[in-house]
Amino acid sequence: DAGVTQSPTHLIKTRGQQVTLRCSPKSGHDTVSWYQQALGQGPQFIFQYYEEEERQRGNFPDRFSGHQFPNYSSELNVNALLLGDSALYLCASTISGGETQYFGPGTRLLVL
Amino acid sequence: QQQVKQSPQSLIVQKGGISIINCAYENTAFDYFPWYQQFPGKGPALLIAIRPDVSEKKEGRFTISFNKSAKQFSLHIMDSQPGDSATYFCAASISNDYKLSFGAGTTVTVRA
């Protein structure tokens, strides 16, 4: 049983560019959350998707947007990249009503 | 503002020793408190979790102690092994909310 997968593993972009990160949840999971983990910090909640809709959002600007597809996979889009967007972006999945969130290995984004 | 405060930032313990990590929270609506373990280059993995209706939970060498009145909880790693060297994060959430609020993390180094 494959766990949460994310792609790409690493990405380098320049300021002002746009980026799309992808996540496939664990089999049977229907809820996907995205987190940003800056170096040396704990993950910060960006938003959560369920039934193809954004259900909750953390304290992140509108430059951060997302999408969930009918197969429950998800994308995170970041527009107008800033140097401060450099971080590890983590995807976590769970079953709606379940407690445990399972994290993927993350995508390391570097903005130059 | 950071809803979960974690200490210490790092600790070094000898093989066979006890590692203790402490966390405090402010939001009394939190009712689910997981601990995650993260190795370099990997996503966080759930280690153990507790709800406030119990004061202690043990799984193998890992024990969570919970003090509801003080709004504090801690992780004890007994008989620490070199393979336990990792960063540990405490977190908190509200049931069916799925939004995890993480502490800043504690890097544990176990010396052989």
Side-chain angles (χ1 to χ4, degrees):
Chain A
D1 175 28
V4 179
T5 59
Q6 293 185 242
S7 63
T9 56
H10 295 82
L11 205 52
I12 300 175
K13 292 285 187 179
T14 57
R15 281 179 299 175
Q17 285 190 311
Q18 178 264 343
V19 67
T20 297
L21 311 181
R22 296 176 176 81
C23 170
S24 290
K26 189 175 169 64
S27 178
H29 287 189
D30 57 7
T31 302
V32 173
S33 299
W34 287 91
Y35 292 79
Q36 180 195 64
Q37 185 177 19
L39 200 61
Q41 300 294 320
Q44 297 292 316
F45 176 79
I46 302 175
F47 44 52
Q48 177 191 94
Y49 277 84
Y50 172 68
E51 292 189 339
E52 302 180 49
E53 291 194 359
E54 184 181 293
R55 183 159 67 175
Q56 282 198 78
R57 189 178 184 90
N59 189 25
F60 279 80
D62 292 344
R63 298 186 297 108
F64 290 77
S65 63
H67 187 77
Q68 186 178 34
F69 299 93
N71 67 352
Y72 308 120
S73 67
S74 177
E75 288 182 349
L76 164 65
N77 301 291
V78 187
N79 294 321
L81 284 166
L82 304 174
L83 296 179
D85 294 333
S86 295
L88 179 67
Y89 288 85
L90 295 163
C91 169
S93 74
T94 188
I95 300 172
S96 182
E99 283 183 339
T100 304
Q101 292 196 37
Y102 294 85
F103 283 82
T107 293
R108 175 77 61 187
L109 172 64
L110 178 61
V111 182
L112 301 176
Chain B
Q1 72 283 14
Q2 191 173 16
Q3 296 200 60
V4 180
K5 295 185 178 180
Q6 183 171 348
S7 64
Q9 186 175 15
S10 63
L11 67 89
I12 299 173
V13 62
Q14 292 296 121
K15 180 181 176 181
I18 302 173
S19 304
I20 302 174
I21 306 170
N22 301 300
C23 286
Y25 64 97
E26 289 297 327
N27 188 347
T28 55
F30 286 147
D31 60 358
Y32 176 66
F33 301 89
W35 285 88
Y36 282 83
Q37 179 189 55
Q38 186 176 31
F39 293 103
K42 304 289 186 183
L46 179 68
L47 197 59
I48 185 173
I50 197 169
R51 287 195 171 274
D53 52 345
V54 297
S55 60
E56 186 174 283
K57 183 176 181 179
K58 183 177 180 179
E59 288 185 3
R61 296 185 293 106
F62 300 92
T63 300
I64 300 178
S65 297
F66 189 86
N67 186 329
K68 187 175 181 179
S69 61
K71 294 186 288 186
Q72 296 176 348
F73 57 112
S74 61
L75 176 70
H76 292 62
I77 306 174
M78 314 299 286
D79 187 26
S80 296
Q81 300 297 312
D84 297 331
S85 296
T87 300
Y88 293 81
F89 293 95
C90 61
S93 70
I94 302 169
S95 287
N96 299 322
D97 187 283
Y98 309 119
K99 172 186 172 182
L100 288 168
S101 295
F102 283 85
T106 298
T107 300
V108 173
T109 302
V110 182
R111 298 225 189 274

